[in-house]
Structures are given as structure tokens and as C-alpha cells.
Amino acid sequence: MKNNSEKNQRKRNDIILAAVILIIAVAGFLFLNATKKNGSYVVVKIDGVEKYSYSITENITKEIITGENGEYTNTLVIKDGKASVLTANCPDGICVGHREISFVGETIVCLPHKVVIEVKKEASNQNLDAVV
Amino acid sequence: MNERTKRIAFLGITTSVALILAYIEAILPPIWTAVPGIKVGLPNLIIVLVLYRFGFKYAAIVSGIRLIIVSMLFGNVMTLAYSVVGAVLSLLLMSILKKTDRFSTIGVSIAGAVAHNLGQIIVAIFLFETVQIGYYMVVLAVTGTIAGVFIGIGSNFLLKRTDSIKI
Ligand SMILES: [Zn+2]
């Protein structure tokens, strides 16, 4: 009898635990959703270093070439205020499959090529190879 | 068969099964493509089993051997970093919750799966130097909870099936 009530108590605690985790997740989602803003710049980082920066209002197609011998490519497309990767020769293709990004802080990561594309609110003041 | 032999045999089997689960996970498509390399943590099924059957020390041994072999076979430094932080956080939280004796295997597994994901997100934030990856914690909390329920049910089943093995 006692064993049974202990069992029920544990089951109830399990449900409370799951509920708390899910409530925190939903609250986090609502918070992030409510605070998201349209970005104005698209920044390309290669191996952690910012290399290119473009206005998100431009319509451009840019070949990002990386690797010691320039053997890696990712084609960045900015169109209608959204950035995406059109093609890439990375083995996983995750960056190509990623949906378009347009809100501040959103990123597309190409792990094999060490390329990160991020939407920012403002352009940074660093020396960039190409500032549009 | 003496106890020691039995124990070694059981740990050998559980480690191999953990490796198979890790392999299945490695060849499955990523659950959340935005953060490459993140996994549900299928091998946690075995870790929960060993934790309940033999305790923290043995769970840590199986987990450690699994991580080393997995990273040698089909990983790289990146996936190793993810796995180590995820696995350590997960095992610590699970053994703490198990000690309180207030949760069933399912509750412990849920905490383990969510902690596993949290650990990976923390690594990703450091790796990509962008806090916004925290967004995905939301998704991973949900997938972790679901994965935890199934891992808990599976471990319960395995625990009943291995009831005759005592060390
Ligand atoms: Zn890629």
C-alpha cells in the first residue's frame, strides 16, 4: 500500500518536472518571439572572423570561398530582405537546407566550412573586405 | 560464474549496445538542422540502465568508454566536445535526481535528456560565439522531454528484463 502511494508520488513529480521544463521552454519561446526584430545587415564570419557585411535590403548573390586552396564554396543569396545559402559543396548540406533568415541574431552555420552567416541590427566598425 | 565475471560481461554488453545506439544516432538525419551535430542522446537509454543497476561509478565508466570509442569511430573534435559536455551534465543531474528518490526512471530520464541537450547548446554558444543559438534550447527542451519519456519507458523495460543480474 505504502509502495503504491510512493509510486504515485513519483509519477506526480515526474509530471511536474516535465511540465516545468515545458513551461520554461514555451515562456522562452514567447519571450524570444516577442522581442525579435528585423535585421538590417547580413554579416559573414569565416573561422570566427567577420569578413563581409551587406545590407539586407540589397539583392545580391555572393560566392563565399574558404579553405586553404579555396576549395570550399557557399553561395549566399540576399533577396527581399532575407538571406539564405543557395548552394554549397560541404558534405552535410545543412546550410543549404536552412530556412531563410531575416531577424536580428538569426544565423546559418556551415560547420564543415567554418562559415557563419548572421543577421545584425547594425554593421560593425571592423575593417571588412567588402562593405556594401 | 562469479560476480566479477558477470559484472564485466554485463558492462561489456551494455557498452556495446550504447555504441550501437550512438552509431544509429550518427547515421540518422540531424533532429534540428540549425545547430549541427546535436543529438537526441539515444545511448542515454543504456546509461540510465547502468545507473539504476550498478550505480553512478559504473554509469560514468560506460559513458566514458562510449564517448572515447564513438569519437574515434565516427566523430571529430567538435562532436566530442558536444558529447562530453552533454553526457557529463546529463549523468550528474540524473544521479542527483535518482538520489532524491522522488522521481521515477521516467522523470530521471527526462532530466537527463534535457540536460544532455542543454550541455550541447552551451558548447554551441561558445563555439559559434552567438547567444542566439539559445533559441534552439526551446526546441531542444521539448524534444528532450519527449526523448526522456521514451528512454525512461525503455529503461524500465530493460531493468525488469535484467532483474536476475545482481552485483
Ligand atoms: Zn554547409
Side-chain angles (χ1 to χ4, degrees):
Chain A
M1 204 56 206
K2 185 173 176 281
N3 203 359
N4 230 350
S5 83
E6 261 179 21
K7 220 175 182 178
N8 286 336
Q9 184 66 42
R10 287 207 191 100
K11 205 178 255 176
R12 214 173 63 199
N13 287 341
D14 287 354
I15 293 168
I16 293 169
L17 177 73
V20 168
I21 292 169
L22 294 178
I23 288 168
I24 292 172
V26 170
F29 176 77
L30 292 177
F31 173 77
L32 291 168
N33 213 34
T35 54
K36 72 180 178 186
K37 296 181 192 76
N38 279 311
S40 22
Y41 287 88
V42 177
V43 169
V44 179
K45 280 189 217 166
I46 297 168
D47 212 354
V49 184
E50 251 176 52
K51 282 278 182 190
Y52 310 106
S53 173
Y54 306 99
S55 164
I56 203 160
T57 54
E58 304 281 322
N59 285 338
I60 61 143
T61 302
K62 161 81 185 166
E63 199 87 9
I64 302 160
I65 296 163
T66 46
E68 269 169 41
N69 310 309
E71 66 271 41
Y72 303 146
T73 61
N74 297 71
T75 312
L76 165 70
V77 173
I78 305 174
K79 197 168 178 274
D80 305 324
K82 288 178 178 129
S84 59
V85 176
L86 187 66
T87 57
N89 60 359
C90 56
D92 58 16
I94 284 170
C95 53
V96 179
H98 198 287
R99 63 185 163 72
E100 298 169 315
I101 55 172
S102 59
F103 295 107
V104 173
E106 282 189 308
T107 54
I108 298 176
V109 177
C110 183
L111 206 56
H113 295 179
K114 292 177 184 156
V115 171
V116 177
I117 297 160
E118 183 172 355
V119 177
K120 289 205 168 176
K121 193 166 176 283
E122 281 160 24
S124 62
N125 323 318
Q126 292 171 23
N127 285 334
L128 301 175
D129 292 356
V131 179
V132 180
Chain B
M1 201 163 45
N2 69 35
E3 291 306 314
R4 193 178 138 79
T5 317
K6 241 186 199 177
R7 194 184 311 172
I8 291 171
F10 192 76
L11 288 178
I13 294 166
T14 49
T15 308
S16 330
V17 177
L19 285 172
I20 293 167
L21 293 176
Y23 175 67
I24 291 171
E25 205 170 60
I27 59 174
L28 282 178
I31 45 157
W32 190 249
T33 53
V35 193
I38 286 206
K39 301 293 179 190
V40 189
L42 277 183
N44 245 6
L45 180 65
I46 294 302
I47 306 304
V48 173
L49 172 69
V50 177
L51 180 67
Y52 271 86
R53 181 63 69 227
F54 302 140
F56 176 78
K57 197 177 102 189
Y58 286 98
I61 292 172
V62 171
S63 189
I65 295 173
R66 185 248 319 188
L67 287 174
I68 293 165
I69 298 180
V70 165
S71 66
M72 285 192 313
L73 289 182
F74 25 78
N76 50 43
V77 180
M78 164 82 57
T79 49
L80 181 66
Y82 274 136
S83 320
V84 168
V85 177
V88 169
L89 213 61
S90 164
L91 182 56
L92 284 180
L93 193 68
M94 287 198 295
S95 67
I96 290 168
L97 288 195
K98 178 177 167 281
K99 269 218 172 84
T100 66
D101 205 25
R102 283 164 190 261
F103 299 92
S104 79
T105 4
I106 295 176
V108 170
S109 302
I110 291 173
V114 174
H116 176 263
N117 290 344
L118 183 68
Q120 297 182 89
I121 281 288
I122 291 170
V123 174
I125 287 173
F126 274 100
L127 239 44
F128 301 125
E129 292 169 6
T130 150
V131 182
Q132 76 92 33
I133 291 178
Y135 263 108
Y136 305 119
M137 193 55 225
V138 172
V139 179
L140 289 170
V142 177
T143 55
T145 306
I146 296 166
V149 171
F150 284 104
I151 287 170
I153 292 169
S155 318
N156 267 338
F157 175 77
L158 289 176
L159 279 166
K160 275 188 196 125
R161 283 296 166 124
T162 57
D163 216 20
S164 56
I165 302 162
K166 300 247 158 52
I167 60 159

